[in-house]
Amino acid sequence: MKHNKYNLPLVVIFGRTNVGKSTLFNCLTEKNQALVSNIAGTTRDSNLNEVEWRGKKFTLVDTGGIIDMKYLVGEKDKTGNIEIKVQQQARDYLTRADLILFLVDTQTGLLPTDKQMALFLKKFIKNPKKIILTANKVDKKKLEAATAEFNKLGLKEPVPISAATGAGTGDLLDIVVKRIKTVEETPVDLEEEEAPEEKNSIKVCFIGKPNVGKSSLLNSILGYERVIVSPEPHTTREPQNTEIIYEDNTITLVDTAGISKKGTKGKGLEKHGIMKSLKALERSDIALLVIDINEDITHQDAKLVEEIVERKISLIIIANKWDLAEKKDTKKYTQYIYDHFPFCTWAPIQFTSALTGGKVNKILDLILEIDKMRKIKLGDSQLNKFLVKIVKIHRPAKASGIKKPRIYEFKQTSTNPPRFSLRIGARDTLHFSYIRFIANRLRDKFSFLGTPITIEIDQERRVHGQHAE
């Protein structure tokens, strides 16, 4: 398992708070992934995404803003403070970086923190060519002269840019691709590595209330602290994308902000984070609903399941913190969960502990199994034989009227997720319970583990007394 499918060079955006790191990240990746705000410390987890420029690719990382240098230089923290963890994570990325974009703010000017960080970089990074001093917020041509002040940092002349408007970013990217090792220079068998790209990435979204262990679970799956973990609610404020390859399949894991009882009625960054979580859910194939098995299931959990099912997204229920459960009776807890989510008893339940790493690999196996279920394509003859059998077991039931309904055809219209069509007579009606009966028999026969099934009614039209198909 690896988080970088092409062994791409790693470029890290580094700097103090509010110099525009997230804005630059969004500009260079051409995606609105990083949450941007003038509130210091908005970025906590490090955003990652791929950038391509002039045929060259690299992974770009937006790190959290540095507030206190002592934790950056390696002083250990025993308090578990979230801001300190952010800075320690930034340090970890610097150790792995192929190139560092040291970002400063032209409009604010040279500050003592900039000087401290420049000294740190010169000591910490042995190769000075790895550092590109980048002067941001040069929104007007006349501000270019003001960047000269940053020459005092001893990191050569700064590259002037405006992340907000995109000015100068092309020149910056030209410098980046010249300095980093390109994909062509990396000793990787590209034919072998490109295979996963041909298959669409399986998009998996971690969703749940705050503090149920979503970020811890992601870190446990990855085997390293990709996402900052803290007992403080709403630590994760923006969706975090991490791409891995497991059993030759590309999986994009997305950690989201915890969705609280207030939902989108919350305020400030919390509200925006929740809205981004729901958007991330819409773009997903599979949702991992994480619940704390030691807490009561609430109406909010049920609402989240509704959101998932309505969007036709596959579902795995993660019963987390299993290590803390007093009586580890899976049968009893399974019944309890399905009693609260009766409309998705087709979703598998995985009991796990993100903290101890218990059974997290089984989650990845389930993801691959469900992905196959989403893409099952059943032939017309297969479904016709299936229809003949179930009609013998249970004749179609009408919703209204006196005429007994007749099903003329049953076929699959699409996959990922699977959709089916039942063709009935122009004057026929079909009771919803019979449609549910067909869906249940489909599951008995073909499984469709963890995947919602849609069955649509295709009613024949009558034209001048004749059936028109």
Side-chain angles (χ1 to χ4, degrees), residues 162-443:
S162 169
T165 66
T169 53
D171 293 336
L172 176 63
L173 285 169
D174 283 342
I175 296 168
V176 168
V177 297
K178 280 180 185 176
R179 290 206 199 174
I180 59 177
K181 289 182 179 179
T182 63
V183 176
E184 290 81 7
E185 294 168 335
T186 307
V188 177
D189 184 346
L190 287 179
E191 287 188 10
E192 186 179 324
E193 286 289 335
E194 278 181 13
E197 190 187 39
E198 294 303 312
K199 306 170 189 174
N200 289 329
S201 174
I202 306 166
K203 297 174 182 64
V204 179
C205 181
F206 291 69
I207 199 160
K209 293 183 302 185
N211 275 9
V212 291
K214 297 185 300 297
S215 297
S216 297
L217 182 64
L218 175 58
N219 288 337
S220 185
I221 289 173
L222 295 173
Y224 67 95
E225 191 160 315
R226 162 67 181 88
V227 178
I228 298 294
V229 179
S230 165
E232 179 187 339
H234 292 283
T235 300
T236 302
R237 288 177 178 159
E238 53 212 270
Q240 300 297 312
N241 292 5
T242 304
E243 196 171 82
I244 64 171
I245 293 178
Y246 181 73
E247 301 290 346
D248 296 325
N249 291 272
T250 306
I251 303 172
T252 301
L253 302 171
V254 183
D255 184 27
T256 62
I259 299 181
S260 65
K261 193 173 182 180
K262 293 179 181 177
T264 54
K265 294 179 182 178
K267 294 181 180 179
L269 295 176
E270 179 181 316
K271 175 183 175 181
H272 290 298
I274 290 166
M275 289 174 70
K276 279 182 175 283
S277 295
L278 291 176
K279 283 183 180 178
L281 180 64
E282 285 173 1
R283 295 191 296 270
S284 300
D285 303 307
I286 302 171
L288 301 187
L289 176 70
V290 186
I291 60 173
D292 183 341
I293 197 60
N294 303 291
E295 293 183 359
D296 291 339
I297 291 175
T298 65
H299 174 69
Q300 183 65 15
D301 294 310
K303 281 296 292 178
L304 284 177
V305 173
E306 268 185 48
E307 295 281 354
I308 292 163
V309 174
E310 280 178 14
R311 289 164 169 79
K312 305 300 178 188
I313 293 161
S314 296
L315 173 63
I316 302 171
I317 299 168
I318 306 295
N320 194 27
K321 305 188 183 181
W322 186 236
D323 56 311
L324 301 178
E326 287 184 11
K327 294 181 179 179
K328 294 179 172 55
D329 186 340
T330 55
K331 189 175 180 181
K332 174 188 168 186
Y333 278 109
T334 296
Q335 189 60 50
Y336 170 72
I337 291 168
Y338 285 148
D339 284 347
H340 284 79
F341 306 143
F343 39 86
C344 67
T345 53
W346 40 262
I349 300 169
Q350 182 62 58
F351 295 89
T352 190
S353 168
L355 192 65
T356 64
K359 299 185 178 179
V360 291
N361 268 6
K362 287 192 175 180
I363 296 170
L364 292 173
D365 292 332
L366 271 175
I367 287 168
L368 297 189
E369 189 177 350
I370 290 173
D371 181 61
K372 288 178 184 175
M373 295 289 107
R374 286 180 67 84
K375 295 169 183 174
I376 285 178
K377 176 62 177 172
L378 302 176
D380 291 349
S381 62
Q382 209 174 0
L383 287 172
N384 282 330
K385 286 178 184 176
F386 167 80
L387 181 63
V388 169
K389 284 185 179 179
I390 64 166
V391 167
K392 284 180 180 177
I393 296 168
H394 182 9
R395 295 288 299 275
K398 62 182 181 293
S400 60
I402 57 173
K403 187 176 181 293
K404 288 183 178 179
R406 180 182 173 186
I407 300 172
Y408 291 92
E409 187 182 47
F410 185 43
K411 63 181 181 180
Q412 186 170 359
T413 55
S414 65
T415 61
N416 200 22
R419 300 179 80 91
F420 298 87
S421 172
L422 276 172
R423 185 161 61 87
I424 62 174
R427 293 180 179 176
D428 291 344
T429 62
L430 206 58
H431 200 273
F432 73 88
S433 64
Y434 195 76
I435 299 170
R436 189 167 57 204
F437 165 74
I438 294 173
N440 289 337
R441 299 295 76 77
L442 271 174
R443 292 191 185 281

